[in-house]
Amino acid sequence: MNYILVEQDERLQLLISIVKRIKSNTVVVFSENQINFLQELFILMGIKTKFRTQQQPADQTLQIYYDPPLTEVKSGLVFVLPEEKIPNCTESKLEKNKQEQFANQEVMKLVSSNYNLNCLADKAYKDFVYIYQNKLDQNNYDVLKLNPMRLCKSFGFEVTPKLNNFRLRSSKEYPQKQTKTNQTKSKKIKKQSKIINVKKHKN
């Protein structure tokens, strides 16, 4: 079995890139809620591929485990976050210059404008988190390593959907990126104020 490292906010982008290139030889393996969301999305985007649940056998060339597999698999390609470690697997690498540039804005536009797709995306997002929290080996898959601000992008959301009764970090627990942004803004403001003061003194 092979795995490919992918950032939380780039999962959907990478999936579509692979499916577009391999076309009909791809089998994408999802949980039930993921299947419903992605089937609808792919139809709206005019992308053709075949879907299976994790319990159904497949004889196509490549099996893609978009969700973490709940049982041991012997062949296929597993999407793995950089924070995770999967034993007894070989890493597959996709050259960045060969990846198709995919506009996440297109997916977000579809999710925000299509009520049915929006509901399916919301359910798929919550199902993904639920699997991490309740059904996976916590030694390899840690729900607390999921970043809701980044993960939601792979479901077509700009803002993180509300998660009731889920143990997931809030945006307040990711201060590093926000702090850097605030520091940068603060420096720009201070620099601008200095320039203004210098001009005043000259006049």
Side-chain angles (χ1 to χ4, degrees), residues 54-101:
Q54 293 183 341
Q55 290 74 34
Q56 293 176 322
D59 56 359
Q60 278 75 8
T61 303
L62 177 63
Q63 300 176 50
I64 301 177
Y65 290 84
Y66 188 62
D67 285 353
L70 299 179
T71 57
E72 184 179 355
V73 293
K74 296 181 179 179
S75 63
L77 181 65
V78 181
F79 276 36
V80 175
L81 304 181
E83 300 85 358
E84 299 168 347
K85 295 180 180 179
I86 309 299
N88 303 320
C89 289
T90 304
E91 182 179 359
S92 295
K93 293 186 178 180
L94 195 66
E95 293 183 21
K96 290 186 177 180
N97 59 351
K98 290 185 178 180
Q99 288 188 29
E100 295 180 22
Q101 294 300 316

Side-chain angles (χ1 to χ4, degrees), residues 30 36 41 57 61 65 71 77 106 115-116 119 148 193:
F30 303 103
N36 294 334
L41 176 65
T61 303
Y65 290 84
T71 57
L77 181 65
E106 184 179 355
Y115 176 76
N116 182 52
C119 291
S193 63

Side-chain angles (χ1 to χ4, degrees), residues 54-160:
Q54 293 183 341
Q55 290 74 34
Q56 293 176 322
D59 56 359
Q60 278 75 8
T61 303
L62 177 63
Q63 300 176 50
I64 301 177
Y65 290 84
Y66 188 62
D67 285 353
L70 299 179
T71 57
E72 184 179 355
V73 293
K74 296 181 179 179
S75 63
L77 181 65
V78 181
F79 276 36
V80 175
L81 304 181
E83 300 85 358
E84 299 168 347
K85 295 180 180 179
I86 309 299
N88 303 320
C89 289
T90 304
E91 182 179 359
S92 295
K93 293 186 178 180
L94 195 66
E95 293 183 21
K96 290 186 177 180
N97 59 351
K98 290 185 178 180
Q99 288 188 29
E100 295 180 22
Q101 294 300 316
F102 173 71
N104 285 332
Q105 289 79 9
E106 184 179 355
V107 174
M108 290 181 181
K109 185 177 180 180
L110 287 171
V111 170
S112 63
S113 61
N114 187 302
Y115 176 76
N116 182 52
L117 184 64
N118 187 283
C119 291
L120 292 174
D122 182 80
K123 192 175 181 181
Y125 175 81
K126 292 175 181 177
D127 181 62
F128 184 85
V129 177
Y130 175 82
I131 289 175
Y132 263 79
Q133 183 173 345
N134 297 284
K135 295 188 177 182
L136 296 176
D137 179 4
Q138 295 301 304
N139 293 325
N140 296 325
Y141 301 95
D142 186 358
V143 67
L144 293 179
K145 290 182 180 179
L146 295 180
N147 183 332
M149 294 187 296
R150 298 190 66 184
L151 182 63
C152 70
K153 309 293 183 184
S154 286
F155 294 84
F157 292 112
E158 186 67 38
V159 180
T160 309

Side-chain angles (χ1 to χ4, degrees), residues 6 10 48 55 59 61 123 134 162 174 181 191:
V6 56
E10 297 177 353
K48 296 181 179 179
Q55 290 74 34
D59 56 359
T61 303
K123 192 175 181 181
N134 297 284
K162 291 183 179 180
Y174 296 93
T181 303
K191 187 175 181 180

